[in-house]
Amino acid sequence: MSAGLPHPLTYSVILDESLGLHLPPHVYYMWLAMIILFTCGFILRGRLQLVPGGLQNVFETIFGGLEDFVVLNIGEEGRKVFPFLGAMFIFILVMNYIGLIPGCDAATANVNTNAAMAITVFVYYNYIGIKKWGFGYIKHFMGPVVFLAPLMLVLELVSHIARPLSLTLRLFGNIRGEEIVLVLLFVLAPVLGTIPMYFLFILGKTIQAFIFFMLTMIYLKGSLEHAH
Amino acid sequence: MFFFKRDKPSEALELFGNVATIGMQLVVATFIGLAIGYYLDEWLGTKPWMLIIFLLLGIVTGFRDVYREAMRLQRGADAQSSGPACGPGRDDARGGSDRQGK
């Protein structure tokens, strides 16, 4: 929760000095999130059970719920794109939660991480659309009326370019803002002030991860369904 | 899990998510229009015109996106109040919401 301050005392700074790699902090915290997720994945893969318990239960609740949500919204085709969506959700969620640990910083509190993920989403939903519709994918940009098609093409182009930018800025602004509030409250009232905010920010960070997931799902739905 | 009731994302999560998405699109689409106009001007040398045109197009796009999003939320609310008939087959309702933006 160092909020990108000029001289943050985070574990990544200590690690960076000892490794001598000169990488920015968000890279280390993204690696930490990846390590956590890979470890969970390998542990769970080794002992999958028919009647889940413990960790498997948690993950089955999350992914079962999300998959139902996706299938309800997109339809059966949603099962094909669900791995991407679910990975996005859990990855952002873990990165957001890492920001709540004292001495750690959320990787999503940096524009670069979010921009990378948003561009991935942009490329992915266009790829899915082109794969499904071929050249007819351009009809998605044309609108329903023929003589308005050139105007709609420009409007849709602006709208589609705005999507990754708005994904990036929303996630970045919310997470960075929460980190800064945590630091300020910690300065004002060391432990007492931050404890209540933790509950609010656990909610906020979950919502932000869910928003990213939901918007990606809506974009994928737009590229999978019929052009109007 | 706190946020997943009966194996699906809780309603609060969905509601917050929907509401929080609306405002950003308006601003970002305007700025994207502005940026496209600015760089087209630099490229083509038509100093103020592309900027003005694309700024207006960006604003129109922003409002259209917000309108479309609101219609989507409205449809979701209608489907919820009229029963559990929502689902994958309701795509035909989209066509009516795209005649704006003129």
Side-chain angles (χ1 to χ4, degrees):
Chain A
M1 52 178 208
S2 76
L5 293 174
H7 301 288
L9 184 67
T10 59
Y11 300 129
S12 76
V13 176
I14 302 165
L15 185 68
D16 193 50
E17 271 171 12
S18 59
L19 286 179
L21 284 176
H22 301 296
L23 288 172
H26 61 268
V27 176
Y28 288 107
Y29 291 117
M30 200 166 81
W31 286 349
L32 179 61
M34 284 160 64
I35 289 170
I36 292 172
L37 286 174
F38 276 128
T39 315
C40 283
F42 280 120
I43 288 174
L44 281 178
R45 198 187 65 168
R47 48 190 181 96
L48 282 178
Q49 291 160 340
L50 205 58
V51 182
L55 197 59
Q56 192 188 348
N57 211 345
V58 171
F59 277 90
E60 280 198 5
T61 310
I62 294 176
F63 284 107
L66 289 181
E67 188 169 13
D68 287 350
F69 185 71
V70 169
V71 171
L72 187 74
N73 277 284
I74 302 186
E76 280 300 317
E77 278 179 319
R79 291 196 202 280
K80 263 192 307 189
V81 293
F82 179 71
F84 179 81
L85 288 166
M88 222 56 180
F89 176 78
I90 199 75
F91 188 44
I92 294 172
L93 190 72
V94 170
M95 282 198 288
N96 285 350
Y97 280 171
I98 283 174
L100 288 174
I101 303 168
C104 290
D105 200 358
T108 40
N110 189 299
V111 191
N112 299 300
T113 318
N114 303 343
M117 288 187 299
I119 290 170
T120 311
V121 166
F122 180 76
V123 170
Y124 183 69
Y125 79 72
N126 282 314
Y127 163 71
I128 287 285
I130 291 169
K131 198 174 111 183
K132 174 154 186 203
W133 300 108
F135 190 70
Y137 183 57
I138 203 166
K139 279 186 199 146
H140 286 252
F141 298 87
M142 289 296 202
V145 195
V146 176
F147 65 91
L148 275 178
L151 178 66
M152 296 304 281
L153 194 66
V154 178
L155 288 185
E156 288 286 341
L157 197 69
V158 174
S159 169
H160 276 256
I161 296 173
R163 282 171 173 185
L165 189 65
S166 84
L167 276 179
T168 307
L169 290 182
R170 182 181 304 112
L171 188 59
F172 162 72
N174 280 286
I175 303 301
R176 171 64 78 87
E178 283 168 4
E179 306 270 301
I180 289 175
V181 167
L182 268 187
V183 169
L184 290 182
L185 281 176
F186 191 77
V187 172
L188 289 175
V191 177
L192 212 64
T194 44
I195 294 284
M197 301 313 281
Y198 264 71
F199 293 104
L200 180 63
F201 289 161
I202 286 174
L203 178 70
K205 280 159 192 267
T206 314
I207 286 175
Q208 287 311 316
F210 186 71
I211 285 174
F212 201 99
F213 159 80
M214 200 179 66
L215 284 175
T216 312
M217 185 195 73
I218 290 170
Y219 300 157
L220 278 169
K221 185 187 172 206
S223 67
L224 278 173
E225 74 187 0
H226 262 289
H228 7 274
Chain B
M1 284 293 287
F2 179 58
F3 299 106
F4 290 86
K5 287 181 180 133
R6 293 196 306 276
D7 264 11
K8 63 172 195 167
S10 71
E11 278 180 23
L13 204 60
E14 224 182 307
L15 195 67
F16 274 120
N18 281 324
V19 171
T21 56
I22 288 182
M24 197 63 128
Q25 290 171 341
L26 191 65
V27 184
V28 167
T30 310
F31 273 99
I32 288 286
L34 189 73
I36 291 178
Y38 181 79
Y39 285 109
L40 273 183
D41 263 349
E42 284 210 339
W43 183 42
L44 298 173
T46 52
K47 192 59 185 173
W49 297 110
M50 283 298 175
L51 188 80
I52 296 171
I53 292 169
F54 272 89
L55 180 60
L56 287 177
L57 284 177
I59 293 170
V60 170
T61 309
F63 274 102
R64 198 193 58 147
D65 282 357
V66 170
Y67 179 76
R68 195 187 265 180
E69 189 73 17
M71 285 296 115
R72 192 180 66 78
L73 292 183
Q74 185 65 44
R75 277 205 307 278
D78 285 349
Q80 234 170 28
S81 62
S82 70
C86 65
R90 295 190 71 260
D91 297 337
D92 50 334
R94 252 184 94 83
S97 67
D98 285 326
R99 62 191 139 64
Q100 69 281 5
K102 304 178 186 171

